Structure formats: C-alpha cells, structure tokens
Amino acid sequence: MKHFSQYKDAVLFLVKYGSSDMIKESGLANEMAITDEQQSETKDLDKEAFVKDLQALGPTYVKLGQLLSTRPDLIAEPYISALRELQDNLEPFPYEQVEGIVQDELGVRISKAFQSFDKEPIGSASLGQVHLAKMRHGETVVVKVQRPGIRQQVIEELEALEKLSSFLENNSAQGRKYSLHKVFLQFKSTLLRELNYLKEAQNMDILHENLKEFKDIIVPTSIPDYSTDKVLTMEFIKGKNITKISPLRKLELDGEALCESLFKAYLQQIVVDGFMHADPHPGNVHLTDDNRLALLDMGMVAHISEDLRKNYLKLILNISNNKVSEALDTLIAMSTATDEADEDQFRSKIAELIQATHQASVKEIDTGKMMFGLIHTAAQCGFELPFELSTVGKALMNIDLVAHTLAPEFEPNKSIKRNAMSLMNKIMLKELAPQNFFSTILESKELIEKMPHRLNTIMGNLANNELEVKLDAIDEKSLMQGFQKVANRITIGLIVAALLVGSALMMSVQTKFTIFGYPGFAMISFMLAIVGALTLVIGIFFKDES
C-alpha cells in the first residue's frame, strides 16, 4: 500500500493516453477501482495536456518520458513528438537551501569556498539547478546543486515504477511483447547514475580528453576538490544557446565547418571511443565567444559495445553508399528476431526507407530520423534492435537540429564518406594499442615455453611409427553391421515370400502325404513361411534400437 497513490496516478495516466487495453488485460483497473468513465480512451492527443500531466507525476516520470522519446519501437509517433517537446524545467529552490547543501557537502561555508556566488540560478531542472560563482583565485565556475530530497523522491518513484512494470510484463501480452520491465531496468540504471554528480564529473573529464583533438569543440572540465555526489563544480564556458544566436552572428560563422567537426566528433564517440554524450539537444550545445561549440551537461552518456560500434560503422557506410543489400545484412546481424519476425517484409520496408533517404533533398536528410525509422520498422516486422541504438538515434536527431540551425545545407552522408577512412584508422590504432596485446603476449609466452617439449614428443612418435591421428568420424564397424542387418532382413523377407508362393502352388498338387487334409509339403512350406515372418516381425519391433 506504500505506493498505492503513485500506482493509481500512473495507471490513470496510461489509461487516459492510450494503454487502457493493457491495463484491462492485466486486471489493474479492477484492483484500483478505476471506473468505466475513467477508462474511456482519449482519441486525439492533446500534446500540451499530455506533457503537463506527465510533469505532474514527478521528476522520475519526466526523465522516463525523455527516455521513451528515443523508443519509436515502443511509442507511437504522436506521443514521440509530444515527448520530444518535454522540457525538464522546474521552479528553482531557495538560495538558503543551496547554501546549506553546499556547506554540508564541501564542509565549508560558501563565503569561504568562493569569492562570490550568484544567488539567482542560471538554470533549474528536475534534479538540480546551476549557479555561477567565482573561485578565490578569480576563476569563474559553474556550480550544479542537487535538489534537496530529490534522491529519496526519485528512489520511491522508481520503486513504484519497478513493481508496476514487472506486474504489467507478467500479466499482459503487450507488456511481455515490449519487455516493459527490461526497458524500465535500463532506465533505472541511467537515472541513478545521473543522480551521482561525481559520475557526471568523470564523464565530463573523459569526454574532454577524448575530444581534445577537435579544435572547434570544447567540453568543460570538473574541479574535483569542489565536487561531491550532490555538488558539481566545473569550468565556466561563456557562450550562448545556438537557438538564440542572431541571424547576423550566423553570417559571421563558418557553419559548415562547425557542423563537420560536430558530426565527426559524434561519429568518433560512437564508433571509436564507445562512450558518447547522449543528450546534445540545442540547449546543451552553446556557441562560445570565439566561435566554438561547447558541449554541456554530461549526466546522460551511453556506453556502446565493440560489436555494436563495428556494425554501426558498416551500417552507416552502406547506407551512405546506397548499398541496400549489405545494409540489410548488417541490420539483421544486429537484430534479435522475435516469434513474429518476418524477414521478407523487413527487407522490403528497410530497402524502401534507405532508397527514400537517398532521394531526399539536402534539407530533408536527417540521420537521427532515419535511425528512428530503422528501429520503428524493425519493431513492426518482429525484429528488436539493441537498446543503445535508440540512444544513438536520439543523439543524432539532436545533432541534426544543431546542424539545421548552423548550416541548413550540411550533408551528413557526404560527411560520413569524407571521415570514413580517418575513423577506420583510429579504430585500427586503438586495436593495435600495447594494452590490447597483453593477453596475446602471455599466450604466446606459454606457447613458446612448451613448444620444444611438444615437438620432441611428436618427432619421437613419428620416428617410432607411433604417431596417431584421431578423427571423430563415422564408425565404419557399426555402419557395416547396420548394412549387414538390413541385408539379412531383405534375404529373410525374400525367403518367406518364396515359401508362401511355393506353398500356394503346391496346394493344387495332390499327394499321399497330407497334414490336416492338405498336401504335406505345401503345409510345411507354409508353416516355415509363418515362422520366418514372425521371427522377422519380432526382431524389428523388439530388438531394433529406436
């Protein structure tokens, strides 16, 4: 009963916005006394009401909505569109609470730790808010402070959602089909990491190091001595949200070069590093005063497996070169087929999608939308693509928005072709790094140490004519015995048939020797045939192995 109110609010939300069948099937409507009137479905989605109702459920639901906006295989397009407009903005909490949290976390008063600390935040979200401050030595920094009590609230909401997702998966066909509990556990892991600001600081420093070769891209670094799991202090990068730069400023920019650097940086993160900034929406990409792009907010990152990185590179290269068959083979290799999988339909629909991409104009080419199209089509045809691909698709969609703002004529396909060779070189250099050879060196050392002894043994057996090669092949002895048994059965069958035919012919020949009034030799022949037939039948049914 601890989470009953949360359960009911979540269930009513699902019922109102199109999941009433799943709720009815699972029995939750009866359990929570939801009336028939409450179960009437909304026919036309009111985006504003949908977003407002979702925000009212709590910060965990806002974050869940943002995650689901990357899952076109789970959510229909009207809802995806509404969720993309979901803003993680909240009223700021009082400065007195900010001061208390910073003092408790850093172990020192704000006035001692900082030369100055702005009381008004420059941004406020569901998990925390951001303030400008100045260090004692004069450096301007950004201080991100977690909302008071938010961790406990999120944990309680996660507990309720975990039980609800598990119940729906176990008690409804739709829940099982979409593996709701598995999707929730992935979301839970992501959100708990986002609540730990030390993890975000680590993400920030890793990305700063990985992208340091890109002169047009900048990632702030953390200040470890002033950071804890609830307070994150980082370098301040002066700039402006790219959606708010003036048309005159855009004329002064080399938008194509900036988009090229940004796109190449994300390709490197996806296919080389396997570690990607997962939320580069326009609000998190700022244009600095010296015309560079700053990537902000590293709370959401994605780890991409080596197999997925290689397959993704093959996929985008094949799509950019219009190699439809190769792209389809790669997609199928990446997918998990369900019981309802239809490969012919999958190949047909994906081929149409790739061809449509190549026929689109420059302004219509969106790599993120294409990726979402692949994921949605795969789900329709009974194929499940890796979860990480949805995160990649969302990141690319945000990059597309940035590109359309800075350089509407930028062509992603050409950028992929231009950067393919350098990406391959980076992958090869990474695989040839010394640390990747440690296990190979150890195995080689063991082989070299044991090689002389093994060679001596082989040469000795060869000299003594004792060398044997064992093959796990057909057992000829058993095979010949089987053939012999078949031949014997055929022979007995022929003899039985001959005796039966012979006895039938001799029945018409009258002789003095009779058995039961019938010609004796004919009856003896008939009885021998009966005995032979019975022996053959008994052997077949009781002695042969099944």
Side-chain angles (χ1 to χ4, degrees), residues 256 259-260 264 317 410-423:
E256 288 278 341
C259 289
E260 180 80 10
K264 186 178 179 181
L317 285 174
F410 178 70
E411 297 184 68
N413 283 341
K414 288 187 178 179
S415 179
I416 291 170
K417 292 175 184 177
R418 282 193 297 269
N419 295 304
M421 188 54 67
S422 64
L423 289 170

PDB file of all heavy atoms in Angstrom, residues 256 259-260 264 317 410-423:
ATOM      1  N   GLU A 256      29.263  25.346 -41.906  1.00  0.00           N
ATOM      2  CA  GLU A 256      29.593  24.033 -42.479  1.00  0.00           C
ATOM      3  C   GLU A 256      30.753  23.385 -41.719  1.00  0.00           C
ATOM      4  O   GLU A 256      30.722  22.194 -41.404  1.00  0.00           O
ATOM      5  CB  GLU A 256      29.954  24.182 -43.957  1.00  0.00           C
ATOM      6  CG  GLU A 256      28.780  24.501 -44.864  1.00  0.00           C
ATOM      7  CD  GLU A 256      27.984  23.263 -45.249  1.00  0.00           C
ATOM      8  OE1 GLU A 256      28.522  22.153 -45.116  1.00  0.00           O
ATOM      9  OE2 GLU A 256      26.826  23.426 -45.670  1.00  0.00           O
ATOM     10  N   CYS A 259      29.608  22.235 -38.225  1.00  0.00           N
ATOM     11  CA  CYS A 259      28.786  21.022 -38.329  1.00  0.00           C
ATOM     12  C   CYS A 259      29.655  19.805 -38.657  1.00  0.00           C
ATOM     13  O   CYS A 259      29.434  18.712 -38.128  1.00  0.00           O
ATOM     14  CB  CYS A 259      27.710  21.194 -39.396  1.00  0.00           C
ATOM     15  SG  CYS A 259      26.406  22.339 -38.929  1.00  0.00           S
ATOM     16  N   GLU A 260      30.639  20.004 -39.526  1.00  0.00           N
ATOM     17  CA  GLU A 260      31.549  18.920 -39.878  1.00  0.00           C
ATOM     18  C   GLU A 260      32.296  18.427 -38.640  1.00  0.00           C
ATOM     19  O   GLU A 260      32.398  17.215 -38.396  1.00  0.00           O
ATOM     20  CB  GLU A 260      32.543  19.400 -40.945  1.00  0.00           C
ATOM     21  CG  GLU A 260      33.546  18.357 -41.396  1.00  0.00           C
ATOM     22  CD  GLU A 260      32.964  17.378 -42.400  1.00  0.00           C
ATOM     23  OE1 GLU A 260      31.850  17.609 -42.892  1.00  0.00           O
ATOM     24  OE2 GLU A 260      33.627  16.364 -42.672  1.00  0.00           O
ATOM     25  N   LYS A 264      31.673  14.782 -36.978  1.00  0.00           N
ATOM     26  CA  LYS A 264      32.836  13.897 -36.894  1.00  0.00           C
ATOM     27  C   LYS A 264      33.125  13.509 -35.443  1.00  0.00           C
ATOM     28  O   LYS A 264      33.475  12.354 -35.149  1.00  0.00           O
ATOM     29  CB  LYS A 264      34.055  14.584 -37.507  1.00  0.00           C
ATOM     30  CG  LYS A 264      35.284  13.690 -37.597  1.00  0.00           C
ATOM     31  CD  LYS A 264      36.436  14.418 -38.263  1.00  0.00           C
ATOM     32  CE  LYS A 264      37.683  13.525 -38.325  1.00  0.00           C
ATOM     33  NZ  LYS A 264      38.825  14.240 -38.951  1.00  0.00           N
ATOM     34  N   LEU A 317      28.017   3.336 -43.403  1.00  0.00           N
ATOM     35  CA  LEU A 317      28.778   3.388 -44.650  1.00  0.00           C
ATOM     36  C   LEU A 317      27.969   2.791 -45.795  1.00  0.00           C
ATOM     37  O   LEU A 317      27.934   3.337 -46.907  1.00  0.00           O
ATOM     38  CB  LEU A 317      30.109   2.645 -44.498  1.00  0.00           C
ATOM     39  CG  LEU A 317      31.193   3.362 -43.688  1.00  0.00           C
ATOM     40  CD1 LEU A 317      32.395   2.450 -43.486  1.00  0.00           C
ATOM     41  CD2 LEU A 317      31.623   4.655 -44.373  1.00  0.00           C
ATOM     42  N   PHE A 410      24.091  21.496 -44.855  1.00  0.00           N
ATOM     43  CA  PHE A 410      25.070  20.471 -44.484  1.00  0.00           C
ATOM     44  C   PHE A 410      24.553  19.085 -44.861  1.00  0.00           C
ATOM     45  O   PHE A 410      23.395  18.752 -44.614  1.00  0.00           O
ATOM     46  CB  PHE A 410      25.336  20.537 -42.974  1.00  0.00           C
ATOM     47  CG  PHE A 410      26.295  19.502 -42.472  1.00  0.00           C
ATOM     48  CD1 PHE A 410      27.639  19.568 -42.792  1.00  0.00           C
ATOM     49  CD2 PHE A 410      25.842  18.446 -41.689  1.00  0.00           C
ATOM     50  CE1 PHE A 410      28.526  18.610 -42.324  1.00  0.00           C
ATOM     51  CE2 PHE A 410      26.713  17.484 -41.224  1.00  0.00           C
ATOM     52  CZ  PHE A 410      28.065  17.563 -41.541  1.00  0.00           C
ATOM     53  N   GLU A 411      25.424  18.239 -45.448  1.00  0.00           N
ATOM     54  CA  GLU A 411      25.036  16.907 -45.919  1.00  0.00           C
ATOM     55  C   GLU A 411      25.732  15.818 -45.089  1.00  0.00           C
ATOM     56  O   GLU A 411      26.926  15.569 -45.256  1.00  0.00           O
ATOM     57  CB  GLU A 411      25.398  16.737 -47.389  1.00  0.00           C
ATOM     58  CG  GLU A 411      24.665  17.703 -48.305  1.00  0.00           C
ATOM     59  CD  GLU A 411      24.978  17.444 -49.760  1.00  0.00           C
ATOM     60  OE1 GLU A 411      24.564  16.393 -50.279  1.00  0.00           O
ATOM     61  OE2 GLU A 411      25.650  18.289 -50.375  1.00  0.00           O
ATOM     62  N   PRO A 412      24.992  15.152 -44.200  1.00  0.00           N
ATOM     63  CA  PRO A 412      25.583  14.126 -43.339  1.00  0.00           C
ATOM     64  C   PRO A 412      26.217  12.969 -44.115  1.00  0.00           C
ATOM     65  O   PRO A 412      27.278  12.470 -43.735  1.00  0.00           O
ATOM     66  CB  PRO A 412      24.398  13.643 -42.497  1.00  0.00           C
ATOM     67  CG  PRO A 412      23.411  14.751 -42.544  1.00  0.00           C
ATOM     68  CD  PRO A 412      23.577  15.379 -43.887  1.00  0.00           C
ATOM     69  N   ASN A 413      25.558  12.517 -45.208  1.00  0.00           N
ATOM     70  CA  ASN A 413      26.093  11.378 -45.970  1.00  0.00           C
ATOM     71  C   ASN A 413      27.479  11.669 -46.527  1.00  0.00           C
ATOM     72  O   ASN A 413      28.372  10.815 -46.507  1.00  0.00           O
ATOM     73  CB  ASN A 413      25.140  11.000 -47.109  1.00  0.00           C
ATOM     74  CG  ASN A 413      23.932  10.238 -46.615  1.00  0.00           C
ATOM     75  OD1 ASN A 413      23.949   9.682 -45.522  1.00  0.00           O
ATOM     76  ND2 ASN A 413      22.881  10.212 -47.401  1.00  0.00           N
ATOM     77  N   LYS A 414      27.665  12.873 -47.026  1.00  0.00           N
ATOM     78  CA  LYS A 414      28.978  13.237 -47.561  1.00  0.00           C
ATOM     79  C   LYS A 414      30.013  13.317 -46.443  1.00  0.00           C
ATOM     80  O   LYS A 414      31.174  12.963 -46.629  1.00  0.00           O
ATOM     81  CB  LYS A 414      28.890  14.558 -48.321  1.00  0.00           C
ATOM     82  CG  LYS A 414      28.167  14.445 -49.656  1.00  0.00           C
ATOM     83  CD  LYS A 414      28.249  15.749 -50.445  1.00  0.00           C
ATOM     84  CE  LYS A 414      27.562  15.592 -51.820  1.00  0.00           C
ATOM     85  NZ  LYS A 414      27.609  16.856 -52.596  1.00  0.00           N
ATOM     86  N   SER A 415      29.573  13.779 -45.283  1.00  0.00           N
ATOM     87  CA  SER A 415      30.473  13.855 -44.139  1.00  0.00           C
ATOM     88  C   SER A 415      30.927  12.453 -43.721  1.00  0.00           C
ATOM     89  O   SER A 415      32.100  12.241 -43.389  1.00  0.00           O
ATOM     90  CB  SER A 415      29.789  14.551 -42.964  1.00  0.00           C
ATOM     91  OG  SER A 415      30.643  14.617 -41.857  1.00  0.00           O
ATOM     92  N   ILE A 416      30.001  11.496 -43.742  1.00  0.00           N
ATOM     93  CA  ILE A 416      30.350  10.109 -43.402  1.00  0.00           C
ATOM     94  C   ILE A 416      31.409   9.583 -44.360  1.00  0.00           C
ATOM     95  O   ILE A 416      32.409   8.969 -43.954  1.00  0.00           O
ATOM     96  CB  ILE A 416      29.094   9.213 -43.431  1.00  0.00           C
ATOM     97  CG1 ILE A 416      28.164   9.576 -42.275  1.00  0.00           C
ATOM     98  CG2 ILE A 416      29.473   7.736 -43.358  1.00  0.00           C
ATOM     99  CD1 ILE A 416      26.800   8.929 -42.356  1.00  0.00           C
ATOM    100  N   LYS A 417      31.196   9.826 -45.663  1.00  0.00           N
ATOM    101  CA  LYS A 417      32.161   9.347 -46.662  1.00  0.00           C
ATOM    102  C   LYS A 417      33.528  10.016 -46.478  1.00  0.00           C
ATOM    103  O   LYS A 417      34.571   9.367 -46.602  1.00  0.00           O
ATOM    104  CB  LYS A 417      31.628   9.617 -48.073  1.00  0.00           C
ATOM    105  CG  LYS A 417      30.410   8.788 -48.431  1.00  0.00           C
ATOM    106  CD  LYS A 417      29.857   9.202 -49.797  1.00  0.00           C
ATOM    107  CE  LYS A 417      28.581   8.447 -50.127  1.00  0.00           C
ATOM    108  NZ  LYS A 417      27.990   8.875 -51.419  1.00  0.00           N
ATOM    109  N   ARG A 418      33.510  11.313 -46.178  1.00  0.00           N
ATOM    110  CA  ARG A 418      34.778  12.039 -46.005  1.00  0.00           C
ATOM    111  C   ARG A 418      35.565  11.522 -44.810  1.00  0.00           C
ATOM    112  O   ARG A 418      36.801  11.464 -44.839  1.00  0.00           O
ATOM    113  CB  ARG A 418      34.492  13.539 -45.821  1.00  0.00           C
ATOM    114  CG  ARG A 418      34.169  14.290 -47.094  1.00  0.00           C
ATOM    115  CD  ARG A 418      34.224  15.787 -46.866  1.00  0.00           C
ATOM    116  NE  ARG A 418      33.232  16.258 -45.911  1.00  0.00           N
ATOM    117  CZ  ARG A 418      32.007  16.666 -46.239  1.00  0.00           C
ATOM    118  NH1 ARG A 418      31.620  16.648 -47.498  1.00  0.00           N
ATOM    119  NH2 ARG A 418      31.168  17.102 -45.310  1.00  0.00           N
ATOM    120  N   ASN A 419      34.838  11.139 -43.747  1.00  0.00           N
ATOM    121  CA  ASN A 419      35.510  10.790 -42.493  1.00  0.00           C
ATOM    122  C   ASN A 419      35.667   9.296 -42.270  1.00  0.00           C
ATOM    123  O   ASN A 419      36.237   8.882 -41.256  1.00  0.00           O
ATOM    124  CB  ASN A 419      34.736  11.393 -41.312  1.00  0.00           C
ATOM    125  CG  ASN A 419      34.757  12.906 -41.332  1.00  0.00           C
ATOM    126  OD1 ASN A 419      35.812  13.518 -41.356  1.00  0.00           O
ATOM    127  ND2 ASN A 419      33.578  13.525 -41.350  1.00  0.00           N
ATOM    128  N   ALA A 420      35.157   8.486 -43.206  1.00  0.00           N
ATOM    129  CA  ALA A 420      35.196   7.026 -43.021  1.00  0.00           C
ATOM    130  C   ALA A 420      36.627   6.511 -42.857  1.00  0.00           C
ATOM    131  O   ALA A 420      36.915   5.701 -41.964  1.00  0.00           O
ATOM    132  CB  ALA A 420      34.518   6.331 -44.196  1.00  0.00           C
ATOM    133  N   MET A 421      37.545   6.966 -43.712  1.00  0.00           N
ATOM    134  CA  MET A 421      38.914   6.452 -43.663  1.00  0.00           C
ATOM    135  C   MET A 421      39.609   6.841 -42.370  1.00  0.00           C
ATOM    136  O   MET A 421      40.301   6.019 -41.753  1.00  0.00           O
ATOM    137  CB  MET A 421      39.704   6.977 -44.869  1.00  0.00           C
ATOM    138  CG  MET A 421      41.088   6.318 -45.002  1.00  0.00           C
ATOM    139  SD  MET A 421      41.010   4.493 -45.033  1.00  0.00           S
ATOM    140  CE  MET A 421      40.159   4.250 -46.598  1.00  0.00           C
ATOM    141  N   SER A 422      39.434   8.096 -41.925  1.00  0.00           N
ATOM    142  CA  SER A 422      40.091   8.512 -40.686  1.00  0.00           C
ATOM    143  C   SER A 422      39.518   7.754 -39.485  1.00  0.00           C
ATOM    144  O   SER A 422      40.253   7.407 -38.548  1.00  0.00           O
ATOM    145  CB  SER A 422      39.931  10.022 -40.476  1.00  0.00           C
ATOM    146  OG  SER A 422      38.576  10.368 -40.302  1.00  0.00           O
ATOM    147  N   LEU A 423      38.214   7.454 -39.522  1.00  0.00           N
ATOM    148  CA  LEU A 423      37.611   6.663 -38.449  1.00  0.00           C
ATOM    149  C   LEU A 423      38.189   5.248 -38.423  1.00  0.00           C
ATOM    150  O   LEU A 423      38.499   4.709 -37.355  1.00  0.00           O
ATOM    151  CB  LEU A 423      36.087   6.602 -38.620  1.00  0.00           C
ATOM    152  CG  LEU A 423      35.307   7.887 -38.343  1.00  0.00           C
ATOM    153  CD1 LEU A 423      33.859   7.727 -38.782  1.00  0.00           C
ATOM    154  CD2 LEU A 423      35.366   8.254 -36.868  1.00  0.00           C
TER     155      LEU A 423
END
